[in-house]
């Protein structure tokens, strides 16, 4: 048996040569060298990055720019299906559900974009806020589908003769019947359904840093003055802070009492500002946003600082202009109409930064991208009957397939992410910088992440104390984290009675060594990698992986369309500079702003084309397939065969049901203003399934899937 296990593992690893075929079951590593023409290679000393699955396809021309793919290869790329090992491919049910959502999303987009030639209209702004509202069918709510076709034939039956013919007519300039247009309008995002003006409110802007789709960036302010490693002290001074909080305490006291919090995209975005501004119809700043924790447990935004660094400004011309001085300004909510509109514009820029960072770092990098090496290493080093493979198997389902599809149409050169999210064609480079500077495996567990951001401290009893008591993501997440860790602990205790059993398990040690030295090769020498030499260290490693693939991903994924499907609530990019940057009160830009501030805001938002493309992909990414496996409900067959493991899983399942009940109770508590109140969307992204996801009323409340499957 040992020989057979070893032989199978050797076959799975392959020989590192040849192009992989669809029938292959070979797992190997490669850098991200397939993103498209003139995109840099991600992975290696120059641009550190996790490794992906090797496909063996040719990628480069033999020229001076080794990162440039052959143009002929790039042109045929859209029709290629990127290899994944056959065991990682979608099942027919999953493929059909994914295709159904994709077809309907494309239908939404084509019905909305009534242009003969979309290329000529990519920069067209919405004419009014009412035009944005018209994208949605008022009676079509963002709810789970009650029935989903399961085969390609059924999908074709739904579309052929009913929609496809009409879409073909549309492409030739004809109008669709009203009934079809209504069918193909977008669902009303939950945020817009609950409160039509939520996007404009400072309260909602702040609340979503704690209970939105990116609650992983808010951090405690621990030093005043705020200082950048790139360009020195911030313009958000102690005096400005005290003025904005009406002198109720000094700035130092507010910091000491943990009242000041920040979204900091200053140092991360600043190096990309001038490069992005050389692109058409887009702009970028570095930004800081400061919040004050009020007495009722909610955050209040008090200042936004936007910065354009000093640079040789090449603009969009062939020859450079003289060096431009740095421009930076702090915006506050203000008391005048002008200040209020400038504040709204500044918020739009911050939201674009937060949404771009969410998509590239909180979502893609920290879940999809960093998890793929764990999967490759597990298949190369752990036999199928290994207990750790059997524990992690449901957490790896479909991830390599969905990552391959992302490389093909989302994160590729000129793909949806580059086309509609900040910072444009530099999106993947930004995620590489984040990986290089900030990613650490030992900080990916929820408690450690909260502590790193100053959002929690560990008390003498070992329990976490949150800096903000009403922090829905952390409140719910810590309950789920504890349940996952206990389940992993019970599992490990059964199979590994002592530390020596862990140390002597050559397959287990080989897996973890390969994760570090091959999957995350660019960080292989970092001192923070855990060593698998005890029950606690193995449990922490397994729980971290299980958390990232399930709850972390659910928290950043399934709220995307419900919260960002209404573009003004979370614009993904900005296209116009702030009016004060462009000149004094007599400048053309300031005069246009004073005459039509709403027009300037609409021109700052993503274009019609970008908005609809974003809505298409967020609608797709926020969906659940009909064969989803939810944490606490689904269990592997082998778990049932061992009585002790079955008992441990039953305890885990019971705990998850209890957590769901506690979350339901919290969402009804009027004292918890970050999750309850008029027009407030309840926080259910980390609510486990009660065993019957089909009974849930919203996509966000369906449950926590085990794996990154969408």
């Amino acid at each position: 048996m040992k020989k057979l296990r070893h032989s199978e593992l050797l076959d799975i690893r392959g020989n590192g040569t040849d192009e992989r075929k669809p029938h292959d079951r070979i797992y190997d590593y490669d850098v991200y060298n397939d993103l498209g023409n003139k995109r840099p290679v991600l992975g290696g000393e120059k641009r550190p990055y996790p490794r992906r699955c090797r496909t063996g396809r040719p990628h480069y021309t033999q020229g001076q720019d080794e990162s440039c793919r052959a143009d002929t290869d790039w042109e045929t790329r859209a029709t290629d299906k990127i290899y994944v090992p056959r065991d990682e491919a979608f099942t027919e049910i999953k493929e059909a559900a994914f295709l159904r959502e994709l077809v309907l999303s494309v239908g939404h987009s084509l019905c909305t974009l009534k242009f003969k030639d979309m290329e000529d209209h990519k920069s067209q702004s919405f004419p009014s806020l009412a035009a944005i509202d018209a994208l949605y069918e008022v009676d079509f709510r963002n709810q789970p589908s009650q029935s989903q076709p399961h085969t390609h034939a059924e999908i074709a039956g739904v579309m052929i003769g009913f929609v496809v013919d009409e879409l073909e007519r549309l492409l030739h300039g004809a109008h669709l019947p009203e009934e079809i247009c209504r069918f193909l309008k977008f669902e009303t995002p939950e945020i817009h359904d609950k409160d039509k003006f939520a996007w404009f409110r400072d309260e909602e802007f702040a609340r979503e840093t704690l209970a939105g789709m990116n609650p992983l960036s808010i951090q405690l302010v621990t030093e005043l003055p705020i200082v950048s490693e790139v360009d020195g002290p911030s313009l958000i001074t102690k005096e400005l802070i005290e003025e904005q909080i009406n002198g109720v305490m000094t700035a130092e006291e507010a910091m000491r009492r943990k009242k000041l919090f920040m979204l900091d995209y200053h140092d991360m975005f600043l190096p990309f500002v001038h490069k992005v501004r050389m692109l058409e119809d887009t702009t970028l700043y570095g930004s800081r946003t400061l919040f004050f924790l009020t007495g009722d447990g909610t955050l209040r935004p008090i200042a936004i600082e936007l910065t354009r660094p000093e640079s040789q400004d090449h603009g969009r011309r062939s020859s450079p202009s003289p060096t431009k001085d740095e421009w930076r300004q702090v915006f506050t909510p203000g008391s005048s109409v002008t200040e209020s509109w400038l504040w709204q514009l500044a918020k739009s820029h911050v939201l674009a930064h937060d949404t771009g960072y969410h998509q590239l770092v909180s979502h893609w990098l920290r879940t999809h991208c960093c998890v793929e090496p764990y999967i490759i290493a597990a298949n190369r080093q752990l036999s199928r009957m290994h207990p750790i493979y059997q524990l992690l198997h449901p957490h790896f389902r479909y991830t390599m397939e969905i990552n391959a599809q992302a490389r093909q149409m989302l994160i590729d050169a000129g793909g949806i992410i580059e086309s509609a999210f900040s910072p444009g064609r530099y999106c993947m480079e930004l995620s590489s910088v984040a990986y290089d500077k900030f990613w650490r495996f030992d900080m990916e567990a929820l408690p450690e992440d909260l502590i790193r951001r100053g959002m929690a401290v560990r008390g003498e009893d070992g329990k976490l104390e949150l800096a903000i008591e009403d922090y829905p993501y952390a409140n719910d997440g810590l309950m789920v984290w504890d349940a996952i860790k206990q389940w992993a602990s019970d599992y490990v205790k059964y199979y590994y009675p002592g530390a020596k059993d862990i140390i002597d398990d050559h397959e287990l040690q080989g897996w973890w060594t390969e994760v570090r030295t091959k999957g995350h090769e660019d960080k292989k020498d970092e001192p923070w990698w855990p060593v698998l030499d005890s029950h606690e260290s193995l449990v922490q490693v397994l729980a971290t992986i299980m958390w990232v693939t399930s709850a972390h991903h659910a928290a950043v994924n399934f709220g995307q369309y419900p919260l960002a499907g209404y573009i003004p609530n979370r614009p993904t990019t900005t296209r116009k500079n702030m009016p004060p940057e462009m000149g004094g009160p007599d400048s053309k830009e300031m005069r246009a702003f004073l005459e039509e501030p709403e027009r300037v805001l609409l021109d700052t938002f993503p274009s019609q084309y970008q908005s609809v493309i974003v809505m298409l992909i967020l609608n797709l990414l926020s969906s659940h397939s009909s064969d989803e496996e939810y944490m606490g409900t689904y269990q592997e067959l082998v778990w049932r065969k061992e009585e002790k493991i079955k008992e441990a899983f039953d305890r885990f399942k019971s705990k998850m049901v209890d957590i769901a009940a506690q979350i339901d109770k919290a969402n009804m508590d009027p004292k918890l203003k970050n999750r309850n109140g008029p027009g407030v969307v309840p926080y259910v992204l980390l609510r486990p399934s009660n065993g019957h996801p089909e009974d849930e009323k919203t996509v966000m409340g369906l449950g926590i899937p085990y794996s990154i499957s969408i």
Side-chain angles (χ1 to χ4, degrees), residues 173-463:
H175 294 290
L176 289 176
E178 181 60 27
E179 294 78 9
I180 303 295
C181 277
R182 290 188 66 216
F183 174 72
L184 289 176
K185 281 192 175 185
F186 284 93
E187 302 166 81
T188 304
E190 196 165 343
I191 185 70
H192 197 51
D193 189 36
K194 282 276 188 179
D195 183 355
K196 296 292 187 292
F197 302 102
W199 69 277
F200 205 81
R201 303 186 198 283
D202 287 355
E203 294 85 354
E204 181 62 23
F205 171 56
R207 190 190 74 85
E208 288 189 26
T209 66
L210 303 172
M213 71 179 196
N214 186 32
L216 287 79
S217 288
I218 190 75
Q219 61 184 19
L220 181 70
V221 175
T222 57
E223 292 183 347
L224 286 177
I226 299 166
V227 177
S228 162
E229 295 180 1
V230 177
D231 61 355
S234 166
L235 292 184
I236 302 178
T237 62
K238 298 176 183 179
E239 292 76 17
L240 186 146
I241 294 171
E242 290 165 5
E243 178 184 344
Q244 287 301 309
I245 63 176
N246 299 319
V248 296
M249 61 185 75
T250 65
E252 288 87 352
E253 184 181 1
M255 182 185 69
R256 188 170 58 254
R257 292 173 57 183
K258 296 185 177 180
K259 294 283 190 179
L260 297 178
F261 297 84
M262 179 168 58
L263 286 179
D264 189 355
Y265 296 122
H266 183 275
D267 288 8
M268 176 62 70
F269 278 84
L270 218 58
F272 295 94
V273 167
H274 285 285
K275 291 194 291 185
V276 168
R277 287 182 172 215
M278 291 176 67
L279 307 176
E280 291 297 329
D281 198 38
T282 189
T283 191
L284 189 67
Y285 295 97
S287 72
R288 295 186 183 94
T289 307
L290 198 67
F291 300 86
F292 179 74
L293 182 63
T294 65
D296 64 3
T298 61
L299 292 175
R300 179 166 66 87
I302 60 174
I304 292 173
E305 180 179 28
L306 299 178
T307 302
R308 182 207 68 215
E310 178 183 14
S311 176
Q312 185 79 15
D313 180 22
H314 292 264
R316 297 182 176 86
R317 296 173 296 278
S318 57
S319 59
S321 61
T323 300
K324 274 194 172 184
D325 293 335
E326 177 189 70
W327 177 89
R328 65 166 67 186
Q329 186 168 332
V330 177
F331 300 89
T332 59
S335 55
S336 70
V337 174
T338 299
E339 289 176 333
S340 296
W341 274 105
L342 287 173
W343 172 252
Q344 197 64 37
L345 287 170
K347 282 199 301 181
S348 297
H349 286 279
V350 170
L351 285 166
H353 301 165
D354 190 60
T355 306
Y357 190 87
H358 157 267
Q359 199 64 261
L360 297 164
V361 180
S362 303
H363 185 199
W364 164 255
L365 173 68
R366 292 178 64 181
T367 65
H368 290 261
C369 187
C370 285
V371 164
E372 187 157 341
Y374 312 150
I375 304 172
I376 300 172
N379 282 279
R380 287 167 56 89
Q381 297 293 334
L382 301 175
S383 61
R384 289 295 183 99
M385 62 180 68
H386 194 286
I388 299 305
Y389 184 95
Q390 293 170 346
L391 174 66
L392 294 178
H393 181 247
H395 290 275
F396 295 159
R397 185 171 181 248
Y398 296 147
T399 300
M400 289 180 68
E401 170 74 21
I402 201 67
N403 284 3
Q405 296 208 22
R407 298 207 313 274
Q408 196 162 14
M409 68 176 183
L410 291 181
I411 64 172
D412 57 315
I416 290 174
I417 299 301
E418 284 192 4
S419 300
F421 287 79
S422 286
R425 66 174 289 155
Y426 303 101
C427 280
M428 294 304 291
E429 287 187 53
L430 183 137
S431 72
S432 172
V433 171
Y435 177 74
D436 182 29
K437 293 183 178 298
F438 300 112
W439 188 87
R440 296 176 45 157
F441 179 87
D442 63 329
M443 295 294 175
E444 289 301 283
L446 177 62
E448 282 64 37
D449 178 57
L450 293 171
I451 292 169
R452 172 173 59 176
R453 292 187 283 122
M455 300 305 292
V457 295
R458 198 176 294 279
E460 294 181 0
D461 58 359
K463 293 183 178 180

Side-chain angles (χ1 to χ4, degrees), residues 71 75 110 156 192 262 313 404 441 478 490 586 698:
D71 291 336
E75 290 170 358
L110 293 178
H192 197 51
M262 179 168 58
D313 180 22
F441 179 87
L478 286 171
D490 292 344
D586 295 328
T698 69

Side-chain angles (χ1 to χ4, degrees), residues 506-607:
H506 300 299
E507 286 192 14
L508 177 67
Q509 295 295 337
W511 165 66
W512 189 238
T513 297
E514 192 164 292
V515 166
R516 176 174 61 83
T517 61
K518 291 190 174 181
H520 288 275
E521 182 178 345
D522 300 329
K523 289 181 175 280
K524 66 180 183 221
D525 297 323
E526 296 288 354
W528 40 255
W529 283 103
V531 177
L532 299 188
D533 58 0
S534 66
H535 175 271
E536 178 57 32
S537 64
L538 177 55
V539 168
Q540 184 72 8
V541 165
L542 295 175
T544 298
I545 293 174
M546 294 159 73
W547 161 263
V548 169
T549 59
S550 59
H552 177 149
H553 180 259
V556 299
N557 184 74
F558 294 107
Q560 291 186 91
Y561 186 79
L563 296 173
Y566 185 65
I567 293 298
N569 191 57
R570 292 193 71 83
T572 56
T573 189
T574 48
R575 299 182 299 134
K576 298 295 180 185
N577 297 332
M578 290 291 292
E581 183 199 344
M582 307 310 293
D586 295 328
S587 67
K588 179 179 68 175
E589 288 78 11
M590 277 301 294
R591 290 198 304 271
F593 165 68
L594 293 173
E595 291 173 5
E596 291 187 279
E598 183 179 330
R599 174 78 270 141
V600 173
L601 181 62
L602 290 166
D603 288 342
T604 300
F605 286 160
S607 68

Side-chain angles (χ1 to χ4, degrees), residues 33 226 249 343 413 476 485 634-635 686:
N33 56 6
I226 299 166
M249 61 185 75
W343 172 252
D476 300 357
K485 190 172 183 181
Y634 169 84
Q635 59 178 313
L686 291 176

Side-chain angles (χ1 to χ4, degrees), residues 19-25 81-87 89:
E19 184 173 351
R20 301 275 63 89
K21 305 301 181 186
H23 60 267
D24 284 338
R25 182 174 164 241
K81 183 172 176 59
I82 295 179
Y83 164 82
V84 295
R86 65 175 187 264
D87 290 351

Side-chain angles (χ1 to χ4, degrees), residues 95-97 99-100 103 149-160:
E95 184 78 34
L99 178 60
R100 170 187 178 275
V103 168
H150 289 173
T151 69
H152 291 80
E154 285 177 288
I155 295 172
V158 171
M159 304 302 292
I160 293 176

